[in-house]
């Protein structure tokens, strides 16, 4: 006998939210959705940090710890720590800084999407109740 499972959403889907006609997700489902988005955001940051480390290691011949420090500082919006000596290193740092600026916006969107959706969905449910 098949169970009637009305929740056909994938728990590991980033942006699989309730439709406006559906009830608000339970707190547990919301927490799981938020956790998945945070893990995805951390993975994006980790890959981006690795790209920066490889770029600094290849273009400036920095050791891995210095490459990590410079990549982390640019990714965090602070700027490079060490003086860059090669044209390739300077070009990489400029491109990586632009990439990092856009990445901050993308990661913030991934993490905040479930929160914004829940707030807006709750407001919409309240409007439907009055209406």
């Amino acid at each position: 006998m098949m169970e009637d499972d009305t929740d056909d959403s994938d728990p590991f889907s980033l942006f699989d939210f309730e439709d406006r006609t559906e009830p608000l997700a339970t707190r547990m489902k919301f927490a799981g959705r938020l956790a998945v988005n945070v893990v995805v955001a951390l993975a994006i940051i980790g890959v981006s940090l690795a790209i920066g480390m490889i770029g600094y290691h290849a273009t400036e011949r920095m050791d891995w710890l210095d490459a990590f420090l410079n990549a982390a500082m640019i990714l965090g919006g602070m700027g490079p720590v060490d003086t860059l000596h090669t044209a390739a290193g300077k070009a990489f740092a400029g491109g990586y800084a632009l990439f990092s600026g856009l990445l901050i916006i993308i990661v913030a969107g991934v993490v905040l999407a479930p929160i914004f959706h829940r707030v807006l969905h709750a407001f919409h449910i309240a409007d439907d109740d009055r209406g």
Side-chain angles (χ1 to χ4, degrees):
M1 194 172 222
M2 234 161 112
E3 293 181 24
D4 184 21
D5 188 12
T6 57
D7 183 19
D8 61 352
S9 64
D10 182 9
F12 299 107
S13 179
L14 276 182
F15 302 111
D16 186 21
F17 300 129
E18 303 82 39
D19 190 58
R20 64 184 273 185
T21 60
E22 296 175 334
L24 196 61
T26 64
R27 288 181 190 223
M28 194 65 161
K29 184 173 180 179
F30 170 71
R33 180 181 293 157
L34 188 59
V36 167
N37 282 37
V38 167
V39 168
V40 168
L42 290 174
I44 292 170
I45 291 170
V47 168
S48 300
L49 186 60
I51 290 169
M53 289 172 63
I54 291 167
Y56 277 116
H57 183 73
T59 60
E60 286 291 321
R61 301 289 181 229
M62 290 182 183
D63 63 59
W64 289 108
L65 187 58
D66 288 336
F68 167 76
L69 176 62
N70 279 279
M73 292 296 281
I74 283 190
L75 198 56
M78 300 295 196
V81 175
D82 294 321
T83 304
L84 303 175
H85 303 288
T86 66
K90 292 174 184 177
F92 171 77
Y96 187 66
L98 292 172
F99 166 77
S100 297
L102 292 174
L103 189 79
I104 288 171
I105 296 168
I106 292 168
V107 167
V110 168
V111 172
L112 294 175
I115 298 168
F116 286 152
H117 177 267
R118 186 169 181 89
V119 169
L120 293 175
H121 193 73
F123 283 142
H124 197 88
I125 289 172
D127 284 347
D128 287 348
D129 289 343
R130 282 190 274 161

